[in-house]
Protein backbone atom coordinates (compact mmCIF):
# COMPACT_ATOMS: atom_id res chain seq x y z
CA UNK A 1 0.00 0.00 0.00
CA UNK A 2 0.94 3.64 -0.30
CA UNK A 3 0.86 5.75 2.85
CA UNK A 4 0.95 9.50 2.19
CA UNK A 5 1.82 12.35 4.56
CA UNK A 6 0.72 15.87 3.64
CA UNK A 7 2.31 18.57 5.78
CA UNK A 8 1.82 22.31 6.28
CA UNK A 9 3.64 24.69 8.59
CA UNK A 10 4.13 28.39 9.33
CA UNK A 11 0.84 29.54 7.79
CA UNK A 12 1.07 32.63 10.05
CA UNK A 13 -2.58 33.56 9.63
CA UNK A 14 -2.50 33.77 5.84
CA UNK A 15 -5.80 31.96 5.47
CA UNK A 16 -6.69 33.50 2.10
CA UNK A 17 -4.67 34.09 -1.06
CA UNK A 18 -3.80 37.68 -0.17
CA UNK A 19 -0.93 39.54 1.45
CA UNK A 20 -3.23 42.48 2.32
CA UNK A 21 -1.13 44.98 0.38
CA UNK A 22 -4.48 46.10 -1.04
CA UNK A 23 -8.13 45.32 -0.26
CA UNK A 24 -8.82 43.85 -3.71
CA UNK A 25 -6.05 41.39 -4.63
CA UNK A 26 -6.88 37.79 -3.72
CA UNK A 27 -4.58 36.07 -6.20
CA UNK A 28 -1.42 35.66 -4.11
CA UNK A 29 0.47 32.38 -4.70
CA UNK A 30 -0.02 31.11 -1.15
CA UNK A 31 -2.54 30.81 1.69
CA UNK A 32 -4.35 28.13 3.66
CA UNK A 33 -7.15 28.21 1.11
CA UNK A 34 -4.78 26.96 -1.59
CA UNK A 35 -3.28 24.47 0.87
CA UNK A 36 -6.76 23.05 1.43
CA UNK A 37 -7.28 22.57 -2.30
CA UNK A 38 -3.93 20.86 -2.72
CA UNK A 39 -4.69 18.49 0.16
CA UNK A 40 -8.11 17.63 -1.24
CA UNK A 41 -6.58 16.88 -4.65
CA UNK A 42 -4.02 14.53 -3.10
CA UNK A 43 -6.67 12.82 -0.98
CA UNK A 44 -8.73 12.24 -4.12
CA UNK A 45 -5.68 10.80 -5.86
CA UNK A 46 -4.61 8.38 -3.12
CA UNK A 47 -7.84 7.95 -1.16
CA UNK A 48 -8.33 9.93 2.04
CA UNK A 49 -8.04 6.70 4.01
CA UNK A 50 -4.38 6.44 2.92
CA UNK A 51 -3.42 10.03 3.82
CA UNK A 52 -2.23 11.60 7.08
CA UNK A 53 -2.44 15.40 7.28
CA UNK A 54 -0.24 17.34 9.73
CA UNK A 55 0.74 20.90 10.63
CA UNK A 56 3.79 22.20 12.50
CA UNK A 57 2.45 25.43 13.97
CA UNK A 58 2.91 29.20 13.87
CA UNK A 59 -0.74 29.78 13.08
CA UNK A 60 -1.78 32.58 15.46
CA UNK A 61 0.48 35.47 14.45
CA UNK A 62 1.71 37.10 11.26
CA UNK A 63 -0.89 38.18 8.72
CA UNK A 64 -2.99 41.33 9.23
CA UNK A 65 -5.98 38.99 9.58
CA UNK A 66 -4.32 37.37 12.60
CA UNK A 67 -3.60 40.82 14.04
CA UNK A 68 -7.24 41.82 13.60
CA UNK A 69 -8.47 38.67 15.37
CA UNK A 70 -6.22 39.40 18.33
CA UNK A 71 -7.13 43.09 18.35
CA UNK A 72 -10.85 42.26 18.28
CA UNK A 73 -10.42 40.82 21.76
CA UNK A 74 -13.35 38.41 21.55
CA UNK A 75 -13.52 34.65 21.89
CA UNK A 76 -15.92 34.59 18.96
CA UNK A 77 -13.33 36.03 16.59
CA UNK A 78 -10.68 33.57 17.76
CA UNK A 79 -13.10 30.64 17.45
CA UNK A 80 -14.06 31.67 13.91
CA UNK A 81 -10.38 31.91 13.07
CA UNK A 82 -9.59 28.51 14.57
CA UNK A 83 -12.53 26.92 12.76
CA UNK A 84 -10.85 27.72 9.45
CA UNK A 85 -7.84 25.61 10.44
CA UNK A 86 -10.22 22.92 11.67
CA UNK A 87 -11.76 22.73 8.19
CA UNK A 88 -8.50 21.27 6.84
CA UNK A 89 -9.09 18.05 8.77
CA UNK A 90 -5.65 17.70 10.31
CA UNK A 91 -4.79 14.39 11.96
CA UNK A 92 -2.25 16.06 14.25
CA UNK A 93 -0.82 19.51 14.91
CA UNK A 94 1.95 21.05 17.00
CA UNK A 95 2.47 24.55 18.36
CA UNK A 96 5.01 27.02 16.99
CA UNK A 97 6.96 29.68 18.86
CA UNK A 98 4.83 32.52 17.45
CA UNK A 99 1.72 30.85 18.82
CA UNK A 100 2.88 32.12 22.24
CA UNK A 101 3.06 35.78 21.13
CA UNK A 102 -0.36 36.78 22.47
CA UNK A 103 -0.08 35.12 25.86
CA UNK A 104 -1.24 31.92 27.52
CA UNK A 105 -4.95 32.70 27.89
CA UNK A 106 -5.22 33.33 24.16
CA UNK A 107 -3.18 30.24 23.34
CA UNK A 108 -5.13 27.95 25.66
CA UNK A 109 -8.46 29.04 24.21
CA UNK A 110 -7.11 28.43 20.69
CA UNK A 111 -5.87 24.95 21.64
CA UNK A 112 -9.24 24.14 23.23
CA UNK A 113 -11.08 25.06 20.03
CA UNK A 114 -8.93 22.83 17.85
CA UNK A 115 -10.58 19.62 16.69
CA UNK A 116 -7.25 18.01 15.72
CA UNK A 117 -5.11 16.43 18.46
CA UNK A 118 -2.36 18.81 19.61
CA UNK A 119 0.88 16.86 20.00
CA UNK A 120 3.34 18.35 22.42
CA UNK A 121 6.04 16.18 23.96
CA UNK A 122 8.45 18.84 25.16
CA UNK A 123 6.40 21.77 26.53
CA UNK A 124 5.50 20.56 29.98
CA UNK A 125 3.61 21.71 33.04
CA UNK A 126 6.50 22.52 35.35
CA UNK A 127 4.66 21.05 38.34
CA UNK A 128 3.56 17.75 36.82
CA UNK A 129 6.09 17.25 33.98
CA UNK A 130 3.13 16.27 31.81
CA UNK A 131 2.44 17.88 28.39
CA UNK A 132 0.99 21.35 29.00
CA UNK A 133 -1.01 21.28 25.75
CA UNK A 134 -2.54 18.11 24.34
CA UNK A 135 -0.59 14.88 24.37
CA UNK A 136 2.97 13.79 23.59
CA UNK A 137 2.06 11.44 20.73
CA UNK A 138 -0.70 9.52 19.06
CA UNK A 139 -0.98 6.28 17.06
CA UNK A 140 -3.08 6.10 13.89
CA UNK A 141 -3.93 2.90 12.05
CA UNK A 142 -4.26 2.88 8.26
CA UNK A 143 -5.24 -0.45 6.66
CA UNK A 144 -3.56 -2.33 9.47
CA UNK A 145 -0.41 -0.19 9.36
CA UNK A 146 0.23 1.46 12.71
CA UNK A 147 1.69 4.95 12.50
CA UNK A 148 3.18 6.74 15.50
CA UNK A 149 3.23 10.55 15.52
CA UNK A 150 5.38 12.49 18.01
CA UNK A 151 4.94 16.27 18.29
CA UNK A 152 7.72 18.64 19.40
CA UNK A 153 8.46 22.37 19.32
CA UNK A 154 11.66 24.40 19.50
CA UNK A 155 12.76 24.63 23.13
CA UNK A 156 14.06 28.18 22.56
CA UNK A 157 10.71 29.92 23.15
CA UNK A 158 11.56 31.30 26.63
CA UNK A 159 14.46 33.20 25.03
CA UNK A 160 12.00 35.19 22.91
CA UNK A 161 8.84 35.51 24.97
CA UNK A 162 8.05 37.66 28.02
CA UNK A 163 8.00 35.70 31.28
CA UNK A 164 4.20 35.79 31.62
CA UNK A 165 3.81 34.15 28.20
CA UNK A 166 5.63 31.02 29.42
CA UNK A 167 4.74 31.08 33.11
CA UNK A 168 4.36 27.63 34.64
CA UNK A 169 5.88 25.90 31.61
CA UNK A 170 9.00 23.81 31.23
CA UNK A 171 10.65 23.59 27.80
CA UNK A 172 12.81 20.53 27.27
CA UNK A 173 15.06 19.40 24.43
CA UNK A 174 13.21 18.24 21.33
CA UNK A 175 15.99 15.73 20.72
CA UNK A 176 15.72 14.28 24.23
CA UNK A 177 11.95 13.84 24.01
CA UNK A 178 12.03 12.26 20.55
CA UNK A 179 14.71 9.84 21.73
CA UNK A 180 12.60 8.96 24.78
CA UNK A 181 9.31 8.45 22.95
CA UNK A 182 10.93 6.71 19.97
CA UNK A 183 12.04 3.94 22.33
CA UNK A 184 8.48 3.57 23.59
CA UNK A 185 6.70 3.78 20.23
CA UNK A 186 9.02 2.00 17.82
CA UNK A 187 8.17 -1.50 19.07
CA UNK A 188 4.45 -0.69 18.78
CA UNK A 189 4.28 0.87 15.30
CA UNK A 190 5.21 0.13 11.71
CA UNK A 191 5.97 3.76 10.83
CA UNK A 192 7.30 6.47 13.14
CA UNK A 193 6.87 10.14 12.20
CA UNK A 194 7.97 13.28 14.04
CA UNK A 195 6.22 16.64 13.60
CA UNK A 196 8.66 19.38 14.62
CA UNK A 197 8.25 23.12 14.82
CA UNK A 198 11.97 23.45 14.45
CA UNK A 199 14.59 22.98 11.79
CA UNK A 200 18.20 22.06 11.18
CA UNK A 201 21.34 23.34 12.83
CA UNK A 202 23.46 21.46 10.26
CA UNK A 203 22.79 20.79 6.59
CA UNK A 204 21.00 17.38 6.56
CA UNK A 205 22.99 16.23 3.52
CA UNK A 206 26.50 17.67 4.01
CA UNK A 207 26.60 17.97 7.79
CA UNK A 208 28.04 21.50 7.59
CA UNK A 209 26.90 23.88 10.33
CA UNK A 210 24.26 26.34 9.17
CA UNK A 211 22.88 27.62 12.50
CA UNK A 212 24.32 27.95 16.02
CA UNK A 213 24.12 24.79 18.13
CA UNK A 214 22.12 26.46 20.89
CA UNK A 215 19.07 24.18 21.05
CA UNK A 216 16.76 26.28 18.88
CA UNK A 217 17.03 23.80 16.00
CA UNK A 218 17.89 20.17 16.74
CA UNK A 219 16.79 18.53 13.50
CA UNK A 220 20.25 17.41 12.40
CA UNK A 221 20.94 15.77 15.75
CA UNK A 222 17.59 13.99 15.64
CA UNK A 223 18.28 12.82 12.10
CA UNK A 224 21.79 11.60 12.88
CA UNK A 225 21.22 9.96 16.26
CA UNK A 226 17.64 8.66 16.24
CA UNK A 227 17.41 6.20 13.34
CA UNK A 228 13.98 5.00 14.48
CA UNK A 229 12.40 8.07 12.82
CA UNK A 230 11.04 7.27 9.34
CA UNK A 231 9.33 10.57 8.51
CA UNK A 232 10.46 14.03 9.66
CA UNK A 233 7.88 16.80 9.14
CA UNK A 234 9.52 20.13 10.01
CA UNK A 235 8.98 23.90 10.03
CA UNK A 236 10.09 27.11 11.79
CA UNK A 237 12.91 28.06 9.41
CA UNK A 238 10.55 28.89 6.50
CA UNK A 239 12.72 26.81 4.18
CA UNK A 240 11.48 24.66 1.31
CA UNK A 241 13.04 21.25 1.80
CA UNK A 242 12.34 17.76 0.53
CA UNK A 243 14.83 14.93 0.69
CA UNK A 244 15.54 11.42 1.94
CA UNK A 245 18.58 11.15 4.22
CA UNK A 246 19.62 8.03 6.15
CA UNK A 247 16.33 6.34 5.22
CA UNK A 248 14.36 9.22 6.75
CA UNK A 249 11.99 11.27 4.60
CA UNK A 250 12.26 15.01 5.37
CA UNK A 251 10.03 17.90 4.29
CA UNK A 252 9.71 21.56 5.25
CA UNK A 253 7.04 23.48 3.31
CA UNK A 254 8.18 27.11 3.47
CA UNK A 255 6.00 29.97 4.66
CA UNK A 256 2.40 31.23 4.45
CA UNK A 257 1.14 28.06 2.75
CA UNK A 258 3.29 28.43 -0.36
CA UNK A 259 3.77 24.67 -0.47
CA UNK A 260 2.61 21.39 1.05
CA UNK A 261 5.21 18.83 2.03
CA UNK A 262 4.45 15.37 0.67
CA UNK A 263 5.94 12.03 1.70
CA UNK A 264 4.90 8.78 0.04
CA UNK A 265 5.81 5.48 1.69
CA UNK A 266 5.44 2.21 -0.14
CA UNK A 267 4.63 -0.43 2.46
CA UNK A 268 4.61 -4.19 2.01
CA UNK A 269 1.06 -5.45 2.60
CA UNK A 270 2.25 -8.56 4.42
CA UNK A 271 5.22 -7.46 6.52
CA UNK A 272 4.06 -3.85 7.00
CA UNK A 273 7.66 -2.77 6.35
CA UNK A 274 8.57 0.33 4.34
CA UNK A 275 10.02 -0.75 1.00
CA UNK A 276 10.68 2.72 -0.46
CA UNK A 277 10.00 6.40 0.17
CA UNK A 278 9.81 9.61 -1.85
CA UNK A 279 9.45 13.28 -0.96
CA UNK A 280 7.99 16.23 -2.83
CA UNK A 281 6.91 19.84 -2.33
CA UNK A 282 3.54 20.63 -3.86
CA UNK A 283 3.46 24.28 -4.93
CA UNK A 284 0.07 25.63 -3.93
CA UNK A 285 -0.08 28.48 -6.47
CA UNK A 286 -1.14 25.85 -8.98
CA UNK A 287 -4.37 25.23 -7.03
CA UNK A 288 -7.50 27.36 -6.91
CA UNK A 289 -8.70 28.71 -3.59
CA UNK A 290 -10.88 26.33 -1.58
CA UNK A 291 -14.46 27.53 -1.31
CA UNK A 292 -15.01 26.11 2.17
CA UNK A 293 -12.02 27.96 3.60
CA UNK A 294 -12.96 31.15 1.76
CA UNK A 295 -16.53 31.03 3.05
CA UNK A 296 -15.45 30.40 6.64
CA UNK A 297 -12.99 33.30 6.48
CA UNK A 298 -15.19 35.81 4.63
CA UNK A 299 -16.70 37.64 7.62
CA UNK A 300 -13.36 37.97 9.42
CA UNK A 301 -11.69 39.09 6.23
CA UNK A 302 -14.23 41.84 5.59
CA UNK A 303 -13.78 43.16 9.12
CA UNK A 304 -10.00 42.95 8.72
CA UNK A 305 -10.07 44.99 5.52
CA UNK A 306 -12.21 47.70 7.13
CA UNK A 307 -9.91 47.77 10.16
CA UNK A 308 -6.83 48.05 7.94
CA UNK A 309 -8.21 51.05 6.06
CA UNK A 310 -8.59 53.13 9.23
CA UNK A 311 -6.69 56.41 8.83
CA UNK A 312 -4.16 56.84 11.63
CA UNK A 313 -2.13 59.98 10.89
CA UNK A 314 -0.93 62.46 8.29
CA UNK A 315 2.84 62.98 8.00
CA UNK A 316 4.62 66.15 6.91
CA UNK A 317 6.23 64.15 4.12
CA UNK A 318 6.34 60.48 3.02
CA UNK A 319 8.62 57.98 4.78
CA UNK A 320 9.27 55.34 2.10
CA UNK A 321 11.40 52.23 2.13
CA UNK A 322 11.60 51.57 -1.60
CA UNK A 323 13.50 48.37 -2.29
CA UNK A 324 13.97 46.49 1.00
CA UNK A 325 17.49 45.26 0.23
CA UNK A 326 18.68 48.67 -0.91
CA UNK A 327 17.11 50.27 2.17
CA UNK A 328 19.04 47.92 4.44
CA UNK A 329 22.31 48.76 2.72
CA UNK A 330 21.83 52.50 2.24
CA UNK A 331 19.15 53.59 4.72
CA UNK A 332 15.59 54.84 4.18
CA UNK A 333 13.27 57.45 5.74
CA UNK A 334 10.93 54.79 7.14
CA UNK A 335 13.79 53.10 8.99
CA UNK A 336 14.73 56.45 10.54
CA UNK A 337 11.10 57.04 11.52
CA UNK A 338 10.86 53.64 13.23
CA UNK A 339 14.12 54.32 15.05
CA UNK A 340 12.85 57.75 16.14
CA UNK A 341 9.71 56.13 17.51
CA UNK A 342 11.76 53.66 19.56
CA UNK A 343 13.82 56.54 20.96
CA UNK A 344 10.63 58.50 21.73
CA UNK A 345 9.23 55.74 23.93
CA UNK A 346 12.46 54.72 25.66
CA UNK A 347 14.50 57.90 25.96
CA UNK A 348 17.48 55.79 24.88
CA UNK A 349 20.63 57.16 23.26
CA UNK A 350 20.57 54.83 20.27
CA UNK A 351 18.00 52.66 18.49
CA UNK A 352 18.39 49.39 16.57
CA UNK A 353 15.93 47.82 14.16
CA UNK A 354 15.64 45.76 11.01
CA UNK A 355 13.53 46.03 7.87
CA UNK A 356 10.96 43.42 8.84
CA UNK A 357 9.39 42.58 5.49
CA UNK A 358 10.59 42.09 1.93
CA UNK A 359 7.38 43.68 0.65
CA UNK A 360 7.35 46.62 3.08
CA UNK A 361 6.93 49.95 1.28
CA UNK A 362 7.10 52.39 4.20
CA UNK A 363 4.60 55.21 4.73
CA UNK A 364 3.07 57.74 2.40
CA UNK A 365 1.85 61.04 3.80
CA UNK A 366 -1.42 59.38 4.83
CA UNK A 367 -0.85 56.45 7.19
CA UNK A 368 -3.43 53.71 7.77
CA UNK A 369 -3.49 50.65 10.00
CA UNK A 370 -2.67 48.63 6.86
CA UNK A 371 0.54 50.59 6.44
CA UNK A 372 1.59 49.94 10.04
CA UNK A 373 0.96 46.18 9.95
CA UNK A 374 2.52 45.62 6.53
CA UNK A 375 5.68 47.42 7.57
CA UNK A 376 5.93 45.97 11.09
CA UNK A 377 4.12 42.61 11.15
CA UNK A 378 5.64 41.22 14.36
CA UNK A 379 4.15 41.37 17.86
CA UNK A 380 7.40 42.37 19.56
CA UNK A 381 7.89 44.43 22.71
CA UNK A 382 10.26 47.37 22.90
CA UNK A 383 13.13 47.19 25.39
CA UNK A 384 15.66 49.66 26.76
CA UNK A 385 19.02 47.93 27.16
CA UNK A 386 22.15 49.09 28.99
CA UNK A 387 25.44 48.51 27.13
CA UNK A 388 28.99 49.77 27.24
CA UNK A 389 30.46 51.36 24.15
CA UNK A 390 32.63 48.29 23.66
CA UNK A 391 29.55 46.03 23.77
CA UNK A 392 27.70 48.29 21.34
CA UNK A 393 30.61 48.05 18.92
CA UNK A 394 30.45 44.23 19.09
CA UNK A 395 26.70 44.31 18.42
CA UNK A 396 27.14 46.48 15.33
CA UNK A 397 30.05 44.34 14.10
CA UNK A 398 27.78 41.29 14.32
CA UNK A 399 25.27 42.99 12.05
CA UNK A 400 28.07 43.86 9.61
CA UNK A 401 28.98 40.15 9.43
CA UNK A 402 25.94 39.70 7.15
CA UNK A 403 27.75 41.61 4.41
CA UNK A 404 30.27 40.77 1.71
CA UNK A 405 31.58 42.19 -1.57
CA UNK A 406 30.17 40.70 -4.77
CA UNK A 407 32.15 39.93 -7.93
CA UNK A 408 31.79 43.55 -9.07
CA UNK A 409 33.09 44.82 -5.74
CA UNK A 410 29.72 46.07 -4.53
CA UNK A 411 28.50 45.56 -0.97
CA UNK A 412 25.90 42.77 -0.81
CA UNK A 413 24.45 40.27 1.59
CA UNK A 414 26.04 36.85 2.00
CA UNK A 415 23.93 34.24 0.15
CA UNK A 416 23.46 32.19 3.31
CA UNK A 417 22.10 35.25 5.14
CA UNK A 418 19.50 36.30 2.57
CA UNK A 419 16.72 34.21 4.12
CA UNK A 420 17.39 35.84 7.50
CA UNK A 421 17.58 39.54 6.71
CA UNK A 422 14.98 40.26 9.41
CA UNK A 423 18.00 39.72 11.70
CA UNK A 424 20.10 42.44 10.03
CA UNK A 425 19.88 45.47 12.29
CA UNK A 426 20.90 49.04 11.56
CA UNK A 427 21.52 51.70 14.21
CA UNK A 428 20.41 55.31 14.71
CA UNK A 429 21.24 58.19 15.21
CA UNK A 430 24.86 57.07 15.48
CA UNK A 431 26.85 57.85 12.36
CA UNK A 432 28.89 54.86 11.34
CA UNK A 433 30.93 53.60 8.42
CA UNK A 434 32.29 50.13 7.66
CA UNK A 435 34.86 48.70 5.28
CA UNK A 436 33.40 45.34 4.23
CA UNK A 437 36.74 44.22 2.78
CA UNK A 438 38.12 44.05 6.32
CA UNK A 439 37.80 40.91 8.49
CA UNK A 440 34.56 40.21 10.30
CA UNK A 441 34.61 41.90 13.70
CA UNK A 442 37.00 44.63 12.51
CA UNK A 443 34.92 46.45 9.92
CA UNK A 444 33.85 49.64 11.67
CA UNK A 445 35.93 52.63 10.61
CA UNK A 446 33.73 55.28 12.20
CA UNK A 447 31.23 55.18 15.07
CA UNK A 448 30.02 58.49 16.48
CA UNK A 449 27.07 59.82 18.48
CA UNK A 450 26.30 63.53 18.35
CA UNK A 451 29.68 64.24 16.81
CA UNK A 452 31.70 62.35 19.44
CA UNK A 453 33.31 58.89 19.09
CA UNK A 454 31.63 56.09 21.01
CA UNK A 455 33.77 55.43 24.09
CA UNK A 456 34.45 51.81 25.06
CA UNK A 457 33.91 52.29 28.80
CA UNK A 458 31.01 54.72 28.58
CA UNK A 459 27.46 53.47 29.27
CA UNK A 460 24.84 53.85 26.53
CA UNK A 461 21.16 52.98 26.40
CA UNK A 462 19.85 51.16 23.35
CA UNK A 463 16.21 50.81 22.20
CA UNK A 464 15.68 47.39 20.60
CA UNK A 465 12.91 44.79 20.43
CA UNK A 466 12.62 41.88 22.85
CA UNK A 467 13.10 39.26 20.11
CA UNK A 468 16.60 40.57 19.53
CA UNK A 469 17.51 40.98 23.20
CA UNK A 470 16.33 37.44 23.98
CA UNK A 471 18.53 35.84 21.34
CA UNK A 472 16.87 36.32 17.95
CA UNK A 473 19.62 36.78 15.40
CA UNK A 474 22.31 35.48 17.80
CA UNK A 475 23.74 38.89 18.59
CA UNK A 476 26.50 39.09 21.20
CA UNK A 477 26.18 41.18 24.37
CA UNK A 478 22.38 41.10 24.60
CA UNK A 479 20.89 39.27 27.59
CA UNK A 480 17.81 39.63 29.81
CA UNK A 481 19.85 41.01 32.72
CA UNK A 482 20.77 44.07 30.60
CA UNK A 483 17.14 45.09 30.09
CA UNK A 484 16.32 48.28 31.99
CA UNK A 485 12.72 48.66 30.80
CA UNK A 486 10.16 46.77 28.71
CA UNK A 487 7.27 48.67 27.14
CA UNK A 488 3.76 47.44 27.88
CA UNK A 489 2.61 48.72 24.48
CA UNK A 490 2.82 46.75 21.25
CA UNK A 491 4.19 48.30 18.06
CA UNK A 492 0.74 49.06 16.64
CA UNK A 493 -0.14 51.04 19.77
CA UNK A 494 3.21 52.82 19.72
CA UNK A 495 2.89 53.81 16.07
CA UNK A 496 -0.62 55.15 16.68
CA UNK A 497 0.51 57.23 19.65
CA UNK A 498 3.78 58.42 18.11
CA UNK A 499 2.36 59.42 14.73
CA UNK A 500 -0.35 61.50 16.38
CA UNK A 501 1.94 63.10 19.00
CA UNK A 502 2.65 66.18 16.91
CA UNK A 503 6.39 65.60 17.34
CA UNK A 504 7.09 63.60 14.18
CA UNK A 505 9.72 64.89 11.78
CA UNK A 506 10.72 62.48 9.01
CA UNK A 507 14.51 62.24 8.79
CA UNK A 508 15.44 61.57 5.17
CA UNK A 509 19.22 61.49 5.67
CA UNK A 510 21.30 58.30 5.73
CA UNK A 511 23.41 57.89 8.87
CA UNK A 512 25.55 54.92 7.83
CA UNK A 513 27.74 53.95 4.89
CA UNK A 514 29.19 50.58 3.89
CA UNK A 515 32.01 50.38 1.37
Amino acid sequence: MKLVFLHSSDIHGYLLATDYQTNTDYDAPFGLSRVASAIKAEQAKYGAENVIVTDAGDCLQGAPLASYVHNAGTKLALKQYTDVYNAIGYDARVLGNHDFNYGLDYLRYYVAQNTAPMLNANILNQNTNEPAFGQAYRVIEKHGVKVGLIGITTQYIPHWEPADHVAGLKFTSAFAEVKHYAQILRPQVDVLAVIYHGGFEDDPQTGSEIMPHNGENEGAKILAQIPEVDVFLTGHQHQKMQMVVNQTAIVQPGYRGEAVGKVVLNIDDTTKKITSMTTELITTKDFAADQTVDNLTEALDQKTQSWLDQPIATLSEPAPIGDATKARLEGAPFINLLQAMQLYFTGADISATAVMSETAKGFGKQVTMRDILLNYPYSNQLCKVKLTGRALRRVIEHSLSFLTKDAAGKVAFLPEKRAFLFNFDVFYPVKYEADIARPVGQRLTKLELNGHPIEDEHTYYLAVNNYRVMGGGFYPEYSPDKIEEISDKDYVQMFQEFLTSGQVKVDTQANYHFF
Side-chain angles (χ1 to χ4, degrees):
M1 68 165 287
K2 291 185 184 296
L3 179 65
V4 181
F5 291 83
L6 299 175
H7 179 63
S8 63
S9 187
D10 297 271
I11 300 295
H12 281 283
Y14 287 91
L15 306 186
L16 302 179
T18 179
D19 59 6
Y20 289 95
Q21 294 285 337
T22 72
N23 58 13
T24 57
D25 183 4
Y26 287 81
D27 197 33
F30 52 74
L32 188 68
S33 184
R34 295 191 191 276
V35 167
S37 292
I39 289 172
K40 287 180 178 178
E42 292 295 308
Q43 288 173 325
K45 178 179 178 180
Y46 292 98
E49 69 278 6
N50 299 313
V51 176
I52 294 173
V53 186
T54 62
D55 179 79
D58 271 6
C59 298
L60 284 181
Q61 178 278 338
L65 175 65
S67 296
Y68 166 76
V69 170
H70 177 248
N71 185 77
T74 68
K75 288 185 175 180
L76 176 61
L78 183 52
K79 185 179 188 311
Q80 289 174 327
Y81 180 82
T82 310
D83 283 344
V84 183
Y85 286 106
N86 288 337
I88 304 302
Y90 288 111
D91 293 293
R93 307 183 70 191
V94 304
L95 296 174
N97 56 294
H98 283 288
D99 295 323
F100 288 79
N101 286 170
Y102 295 138
L104 288 176
D105 288 345
Y106 196 81
L107 176 57
R108 286 180 176 129
Y109 184 78
Y110 163 74
V111 170
Q113 301 310 306
N114 266 274
T115 54
M118 196 67 71
L119 303 186
N120 161 43
N122 71 316
I123 304 175
L124 310 178
N125 181 307
Q126 67 179 14
N127 294 322
T128 67
N129 279 329
E130 294 295 322
F133 306 94
Q135 60 208 65
Y137 65 87
R138 74 173 298 201
V139 176
I140 297 174
E141 190 166 325
K142 296 283 187 178
H143 295 293
V145 175
K146 293 182 178 179
V147 182
L149 301 170
I150 301 170
I152 47 173
T153 299
T154 175
Q155 65 175 315
Y156 217 67
I157 291 170
H159 291 266
W160 301 314
E161 289 297 317
D164 61 312
H165 288 193
V166 293
L169 302 179
K170 176 181 176 182
F171 293 77
T172 61
S173 162
F175 169 80
E177 298 298 344
V178 172
K179 185 173 183 180
H180 170 72
Y181 285 106
Q183 299 303 312
I184 294 171
L185 281 176
R186 186 74 262 189
Q188 304 177 36
V189 299
D190 303 298
V191 175
L192 183 60
V194 171
I195 312 166
Y196 181 27
H197 188 85
F200 295 88
E201 68 279 33
D202 300 331
D203 185 292
Q205 294 175 309
T206 68
S208 59
E209 183 175 333
I210 55 177
M211 298 293 286
H213 287 213
N214 60 2
E216 177 185 354
N217 299 290
E218 300 178 88
K221 189 176 181 182
I222 292 170
L223 182 66
Q225 298 186 32
I226 310 178
E228 292 89 352
V229 177
D230 300 307
V231 178
F232 204 8
L233 308 163
T234 70
H236 182 56
Q237 291 173 312
H238 295 187
Q239 300 298 297
K240 290 192 283 188
M241 300 172 57
Q242 57 91 13
M243 62 189 72
V244 176
V245 177
N246 298 338
Q247 296 182 304
T248 300
I250 304 164
V251 291
Q252 188 172 137
Y255 170 53
R256 300 191 296 187
E258 63 185 322
V260 173
K262 176 181 175 182
V263 175
V264 179
L265 305 181
N266 285 298
I267 298 176
D268 185 278
D269 291 333
T270 303
T271 65
K272 311 301 183 190
K273 301 291 186 183
I274 300 170
T275 58
S276 64
M277 56 177 61
T278 60
T279 59
E280 180 185 347
L281 289 181
I282 302 168
T283 303
T284 60
K285 69 179 178 61
D286 300 328
F287 294 84
D290 178 72
Q291 199 60 52
T292 300
V293 168
D294 283 4
N295 290 344
L296 285 170
T297 312
E298 183 178 8
L300 284 178
D301 177 63
Q302 289 176 352
K303 292 175 182 177
T304 298
Q305 293 288 14
S306 297
W307 181 66
L308 290 173
D309 285 331
Q310 293 177 73
I312 301 298
T314 301
L315 301 179
S316 60
E317 58 189 304
I321 288 177
D323 176 77
T325 298
K326 184 178 179 182
R328 292 178 176 110
L329 295 175
E330 299 178 10
F334 175 80
I335 299 174
N336 293 347
L337 184 67
L338 174 54
Q339 305 273 38
M341 184 187 77
Q342 295 191 159
L343 294 174
Y344 173 85
F345 281 101
T346 59
D349 304 302
I350 302 159
S351 175
T353 194
V355 175
M356 299 293 181
S357 167
E358 298 310 305
T359 56
K361 303 300 181 186
F363 293 162
K365 288 188 68 173
Q366 304 295 323
V367 182
T368 66
M369 183 65 73
R370 186 186 307 275
D371 296 321
I372 292 173
L373 286 167
L374 290 177
N375 285 282
Y376 203 101
Y378 298 107
S379 57
N380 294 328
Q381 290 179 292
L382 179 61
C383 300
K384 183 177 181 179
V385 177
K386 184 178 180 180
L387 296 175
T388 64
R390 180 180 290 106
L392 175 65
R393 185 178 293 272
R394 288 193 68 211
V395 167
I396 297 175
E397 286 282 6
H398 177 81
S399 181
L400 296 172
S401 72
F402 282 58
L403 302 174
T404 188
K405 291 281 193 79
D406 64 17
K410 293 183 179 180
V411 176
F413 288 103
L414 288 162
E416 63 267 27
K417 297 290 189 181
R418 289 174 190 160
F420 305 99
L421 294 184
F422 55 86
N423 285 326
F424 177 75
D425 279 356
V426 293
F427 303 81
Y428 178 91
V430 287
K431 295 187 182 301
Y432 63 107
E433 297 180 359
D435 181 354
I436 305 308
R438 293 171 62 169
V440 169
Q442 304 173 36
R443 291 177 163 181
L444 280 170
T445 59
K446 175 182 178 180
L447 181 57
E448 295 179 354
L449 179 64
N450 301 324
H452 302 284
I454 292 292
E455 300 177 21
D456 281 356
E457 303 306 322
H458 188 74
T459 296
Y460 299 90
Y461 291 94
L462 180 71
V464 63
N465 67 63
N466 66 310
Y467 173 78
R468 190 71 75 238
V469 178
M470 302 299 283
F474 311 109
Y475 278 69
E477 301 296 342
Y478 292 147
S479 58
D481 62 295
K482 294 178 181 176
I483 297 174
E484 298 282 305
E485 299 174 9
I486 301 178
S487 173
D488 60 356
K489 298 179 173 72
D490 63 29
Y491 272 77
V492 170
Q493 291 173 298
M494 287 192 294
F495 265 119
Q496 287 178 288
E497 185 175 329
F498 177 64
L499 295 178
T500 56
S501 67
Q503 301 183 37
V504 177
K505 176 71 171 72
V506 178
D507 183 357
T508 61
Q509 301 301 308
N511 66 295
Y512 55 87
H513 176 58
F514 310 140
F515 58 92

